[in-house]
Amino acid sequence: MVTDLAEVFRLGTAKARENLDFRRHLASAHVPDAPFQILASEIARQTDCIACANCCRYSLVAVQPADIHRIATHLGITAEEVTRLYTVPDSEDPGTTILRNSADGCVFLDHNLCMIYDSRPKACRDFPHVTAGTHSLGSRRSSHDRWTPLCPILYNATESYKHLTGYHPRENHTPNPDRV
Ligand code: SF4
Ligand code: SF4
């Protein structure tokens, strides 16, 4: 497994076209999602998210009323106060509410730790959406493209799945580390 964040970013960026080709290969061969999700679960267990926290830095976290009520209970304040203090409307997605964030990341992030971890929103629990829910590797294309260089779980799970399925990158998709 590659755990160094800079190396994950370098390789994940370099393999963007290869990963697109891999997803197309999975779709055309009708490869089921379940083996990938099992593999990703195992890699998630081996990954130290506290050493990373990239999703808490670079995500816009959409919250539902149930998330807000759970956070309110956790903090001992009202749902209205949580909404006022910790959320904003998503300017790019009318009707959606997101957690406040800054250049340092999510409003609840403190030195790579989530201050409301046990009550964090469902979107945070499910991230990177490879081990939970109904999403498949193929159905989250834009998310996969964006997050593979940022999320070691996603990067390593994808690389392992290439190996497991016998995928061989075409010559023109092979990254040249010297040119990254
Ligand atoms: S980006 Fe991925 S590896 Fe990093 S903290 Fe989030 S889920 Fe864990
Ligand atoms: S609520 Fe917690 S887990 Fe979710 S993005 Fe913020 S700091 Fe990370």
Side-chain angles (χ1 to χ4, degrees):
M1 290 214 315
V2 181
T3 56
D4 179 78
L5 294 182
E7 190 67 353
V8 168
F9 185 80
R10 188 179 77 88
L11 291 171
T13 302
K15 291 176 186 239
R17 289 182 60 215
E18 177 184 309
N19 288 340
L20 175 60
D21 185 66
F22 178 53
R23 285 199 308 278
R24 285 176 175 155
H25 161 75
L26 294 180
S28 64
H30 302 291
V31 177
D33 289 327
F36 176 72
Q37 291 168 343
I38 293 168
L39 182 65
S41 295
E42 181 55 35
I43 286 175
R45 267 193 293 276
Q46 297 173 27
T47 302
D48 181 5
C49 281
I50 293 176
C52 173
N54 273 348
C55 49
C56 303
R57 282 201 184 80
Y58 302 120
S59 286
L60 294 180
V61 178
V63 285
Q64 305 298 326
D67 296 317
I68 291 175
H69 279 94
R70 199 167 51 249
I71 295 169
T73 301
H74 181 100
L75 296 176
I77 59 179
T78 66
E80 290 71 25
E81 287 173 308
V82 170
T83 301
R84 179 169 53 83
L85 294 172
Y86 300 116
T87 75
V88 289
D90 185 346
S91 60
E92 296 187 1
D93 189 3
T96 297
T97 300
I98 58 175
L99 293 182
R100 287 181 185 271
N101 61 65
S102 68
D104 294 328
C106 174
V107 66
F108 291 118
L109 183 65
D110 181 15
H111 295 94
N112 280 21
L113 294 177
C114 174
M115 292 187 292
I116 57 164
Y117 186 78
D118 289 340
S119 304
R120 65 198 188 285
K122 184 176 187 302
C124 305
R125 293 172 189 275
D126 289 351
F127 193 86
H129 305 287
V130 289
T131 61
T134 57
H135 299 300
S136 67
L137 188 60
S139 70
R140 296 189 60 87
R141 176 176 160 182
S142 61
S143 173
H144 187 274
D145 288 347
R146 175 166 183 239
W147 282 101
T148 298
L150 292 170
C151 174
I153 293 173
L154 196 48
Y155 174 81
N156 287 304
T158 302
E159 291 307 301
S160 296
Y161 204 42
K162 288 175 188 172
H163 181 71
L164 188 72
T165 58
Y167 170 80
H168 294 291
R170 284 183 277 167
E171 187 65 26
N172 62 343
H173 291 149
T174 304
N176 180 347
D178 296 334
R179 299 184 61 182
V180 175

PDB file of all heavy atoms in Angstrom, residues 109-122:
ATOM      1  N   LEU A 109     -13.117  20.231  12.139  1.00  0.00           N
ATOM      2  CA  LEU A 109     -11.796  19.593  12.080  1.00  0.00           C
ATOM      3  C   LEU A 109     -10.820  20.329  12.999  1.00  0.00           C
ATOM      4  O   LEU A 109     -10.680  21.540  12.933  1.00  0.00           O
ATOM      5  CB  LEU A 109     -11.267  19.604  10.645  1.00  0.00           C
ATOM      6  CG  LEU A 109      -9.931  18.898  10.410  1.00  0.00           C
ATOM      7  CD1 LEU A 109     -10.056  17.399  10.674  1.00  0.00           C
ATOM      8  CD2 LEU A 109      -9.434  19.146   8.984  1.00  0.00           C
ATOM      9  N   ASP A 110     -10.151  19.558  13.842  1.00  0.00           N
ATOM     10  CA  ASP A 110      -9.175  20.139  14.765  1.00  0.00           C
ATOM     11  C   ASP A 110      -7.916  19.265  14.737  1.00  0.00           C
ATOM     12  O   ASP A 110      -7.898  18.176  15.309  1.00  0.00           O
ATOM     13  CB  ASP A 110      -9.759  20.182  16.185  1.00  0.00           C
ATOM     14  CG  ASP A 110      -8.790  20.809  17.171  1.00  0.00           C
ATOM     15  OD1 ASP A 110      -7.810  21.461  16.739  1.00  0.00           O
ATOM     16  OD2 ASP A 110      -9.006  20.630  18.385  1.00  0.00           O
ATOM     17  N   HIS A 111      -6.882  19.752  14.042  1.00  0.00           N
ATOM     18  CA  HIS A 111      -5.631  18.994  13.953  1.00  0.00           C
ATOM     19  C   HIS A 111      -5.857  17.545  13.530  1.00  0.00           C
ATOM     20  O   HIS A 111      -5.460  16.603  14.229  1.00  0.00           O
ATOM     21  CB  HIS A 111      -4.870  19.036  15.276  1.00  0.00           C
ATOM     22  CG  HIS A 111      -4.407  20.407  15.642  1.00  0.00           C
ATOM     23  ND1 HIS A 111      -5.144  21.236  16.448  1.00  0.00           N
ATOM     24  CD2 HIS A 111      -3.301  21.100  15.301  1.00  0.00           C
ATOM     25  CE1 HIS A 111      -4.512  22.382  16.601  1.00  0.00           C
ATOM     26  NE2 HIS A 111      -3.390  22.332  15.902  1.00  0.00           N
ATOM     27  N   ASN A 112      -6.502  17.355  12.410  1.00  0.00           N
ATOM     28  CA  ASN A 112      -6.786  16.026  11.834  1.00  0.00           C
ATOM     29  C   ASN A 112      -7.817  15.217  12.604  1.00  0.00           C
ATOM     30  O   ASN A 112      -8.082  14.074  12.253  1.00  0.00           O
ATOM     31  CB  ASN A 112      -5.512  15.182  11.668  1.00  0.00           C
ATOM     32  CG  ASN A 112      -4.728  15.568  10.427  1.00  0.00           C
ATOM     33  OD1 ASN A 112      -4.888  16.662   9.904  1.00  0.00           O
ATOM     34  ND2 ASN A 112      -3.872  14.663   9.982  1.00  0.00           N
ATOM     35  N   LEU A 113      -8.371  15.771  13.659  1.00  0.00           N
ATOM     36  CA  LEU A 113      -9.398  15.051  14.416  1.00  0.00           C
ATOM     37  C   LEU A 113     -10.753  15.716  14.226  1.00  0.00           C
ATOM     38  O   LEU A 113     -10.847  16.949  14.182  1.00  0.00           O
ATOM     39  CB  LEU A 113      -9.054  15.016  15.907  1.00  0.00           C
ATOM     40  CG  LEU A 113      -7.807  14.217  16.298  1.00  0.00           C
ATOM     41  CD1 LEU A 113      -7.566  14.352  17.807  1.00  0.00           C
ATOM     42  CD2 LEU A 113      -7.956  12.749  15.914  1.00  0.00           C
ATOM     43  N   CYS A 114     -11.773  14.869  14.140  1.00  0.00           N
ATOM     44  CA  CYS A 114     -13.142  15.377  14.046  1.00  0.00           C
ATOM     45  C   CYS A 114     -13.686  15.579  15.462  1.00  0.00           C
ATOM     46  O   CYS A 114     -13.718  14.639  16.263  1.00  0.00           O
ATOM     47  CB  CYS A 114     -14.019  14.383  13.291  1.00  0.00           C
ATOM     48  SG  CYS A 114     -15.766  14.848  13.282  1.00  0.00           S
ATOM     49  N   MET A 115     -14.120  16.780  15.755  1.00  0.00           N
ATOM     50  CA  MET A 115     -14.601  17.094  17.107  1.00  0.00           C
ATOM     51  C   MET A 115     -15.984  16.485  17.384  1.00  0.00           C
ATOM     52  O   MET A 115     -16.422  16.490  18.529  1.00  0.00           O
ATOM     53  CB  MET A 115     -14.640  18.608  17.306  1.00  0.00           C
ATOM     54  CG  MET A 115     -13.253  19.234  17.328  1.00  0.00           C
ATOM     55  SD  MET A 115     -13.304  20.979  17.770  1.00  0.00           S
ATOM     56  CE  MET A 115     -14.103  21.679  16.345  1.00  0.00           C
ATOM     57  N   ILE A 116     -16.651  16.011  16.347  1.00  0.00           N
ATOM     58  CA  ILE A 116     -17.969  15.398  16.560  1.00  0.00           C
ATOM     59  C   ILE A 116     -17.980  13.983  15.981  1.00  0.00           C
ATOM     60  O   ILE A 116     -18.992  13.528  15.456  1.00  0.00           O
ATOM     61  CB  ILE A 116     -19.084  16.252  15.908  1.00  0.00           C
ATOM     62  CG1 ILE A 116     -18.804  16.449  14.412  1.00  0.00           C
ATOM     63  CG2 ILE A 116     -19.246  17.588  16.620  1.00  0.00           C
ATOM     64  CD1 ILE A 116     -20.009  16.923  13.626  1.00  0.00           C
ATOM     65  N   TYR A 117     -16.860  13.293  16.085  1.00  0.00           N
ATOM     66  CA  TYR A 117     -16.672  12.045  15.333  1.00  0.00           C
ATOM     67  C   TYR A 117     -17.831  11.062  15.506  1.00  0.00           C
ATOM     68  O   TYR A 117     -18.329  10.515  14.536  1.00  0.00           O
ATOM     69  CB  TYR A 117     -15.361  11.378  15.765  1.00  0.00           C
ATOM     70  CG  TYR A 117     -15.039  10.165  14.929  1.00  0.00           C
ATOM     71  CD1 TYR A 117     -14.499  10.328  13.648  1.00  0.00           C
ATOM     72  CD2 TYR A 117     -15.291   8.887  15.391  1.00  0.00           C
ATOM     73  CE1 TYR A 117     -14.223   9.228  12.856  1.00  0.00           C
ATOM     74  CE2 TYR A 117     -15.016   7.781  14.595  1.00  0.00           C
ATOM     75  CZ  TYR A 117     -14.476   7.957  13.332  1.00  0.00           C
ATOM     76  OH  TYR A 117     -14.213   6.864  12.551  1.00  0.00           O
ATOM     77  N   ASP A 118     -18.265  10.842  16.732  1.00  0.00           N
ATOM     78  CA  ASP A 118     -19.327   9.851  16.942  1.00  0.00           C
ATOM     79  C   ASP A 118     -20.662  10.293  16.366  1.00  0.00           C
ATOM     80  O   ASP A 118     -21.567   9.475  16.201  1.00  0.00           O
ATOM     81  CB  ASP A 118     -19.486   9.560  18.447  1.00  0.00           C
ATOM     82  CG  ASP A 118     -18.302   8.774  18.980  1.00  0.00           C
ATOM     83  OD1 ASP A 118     -17.587   8.146  18.168  1.00  0.00           O
ATOM     84  OD2 ASP A 118     -18.063   8.808  20.199  1.00  0.00           O
ATOM     85  N   SER A 119     -20.777  11.587  16.099  1.00  0.00           N
ATOM     86  CA  SER A 119     -22.043  12.118  15.573  1.00  0.00           C
ATOM     87  C   SER A 119     -21.871  12.757  14.207  1.00  0.00           C
ATOM     88  O   SER A 119     -22.707  13.549  13.770  1.00  0.00           O
ATOM     89  CB  SER A 119     -22.601  13.173  16.543  1.00  0.00           C
ATOM     90  OG  SER A 119     -22.744  12.624  17.822  1.00  0.00           O
ATOM     91  N   ARG A 120     -20.801  12.425  13.525  1.00  0.00           N
ATOM     92  CA  ARG A 120     -20.515  13.057  12.236  1.00  0.00           C
ATOM     93  C   ARG A 120     -21.615  12.719  11.218  1.00  0.00           C
ATOM     94  O   ARG A 120     -22.274  11.679  11.328  1.00  0.00           O
ATOM     95  CB  ARG A 120     -19.141  12.643  11.712  1.00  0.00           C
ATOM     96  CG  ARG A 120     -19.006  11.177  11.380  1.00  0.00           C
ATOM     97  CD  ARG A 120     -17.529  10.812  11.311  1.00  0.00           C
ATOM     98  NE  ARG A 120     -17.277   9.466  10.826  1.00  0.00           N
ATOM     99  CZ  ARG A 120     -17.463   8.361  11.521  1.00  0.00           C
ATOM    100  NH1 ARG A 120     -17.937   8.419  12.740  1.00  0.00           N
ATOM    101  NH2 ARG A 120     -17.177   7.192  10.993  1.00  0.00           N
ATOM    102  N   PRO A 121     -21.766  13.592  10.213  1.00  0.00           N
ATOM    103  CA  PRO A 121     -22.824  13.375   9.210  1.00  0.00           C
ATOM    104  C   PRO A 121     -22.662  12.054   8.463  1.00  0.00           C
ATOM    105  O   PRO A 121     -21.555  11.523   8.340  1.00  0.00           O
ATOM    106  CB  PRO A 121     -22.651  14.567   8.262  1.00  0.00           C
ATOM    107  CG  PRO A 121     -21.995  15.611   9.078  1.00  0.00           C
ATOM    108  CD  PRO A 121     -21.086  14.878  10.025  1.00  0.00           C
ATOM    109  N   LYS A 122     -23.765  11.577   7.921  1.00  0.00           N
ATOM    110  CA  LYS A 122     -23.732  10.319   7.180  1.00  0.00           C
ATOM    111  C   LYS A 122     -22.745  10.399   6.012  1.00  0.00           C
ATOM    112  O   LYS A 122     -22.058   9.426   5.707  1.00  0.00           O
ATOM    113  CB  LYS A 122     -25.134   9.980   6.673  1.00  0.00           C
ATOM    114  CG  LYS A 122     -25.202   8.635   5.977  1.00  0.00           C
ATOM    115  CD  LYS A 122     -26.617   8.294   5.579  1.00  0.00           C
ATOM    116  CE  LYS A 122     -26.705   6.863   5.025  1.00  0.00           C
ATOM    117  NZ  LYS A 122     -25.841   6.635   3.875  1.00  0.00           N
TER     118      LYS A 122
END
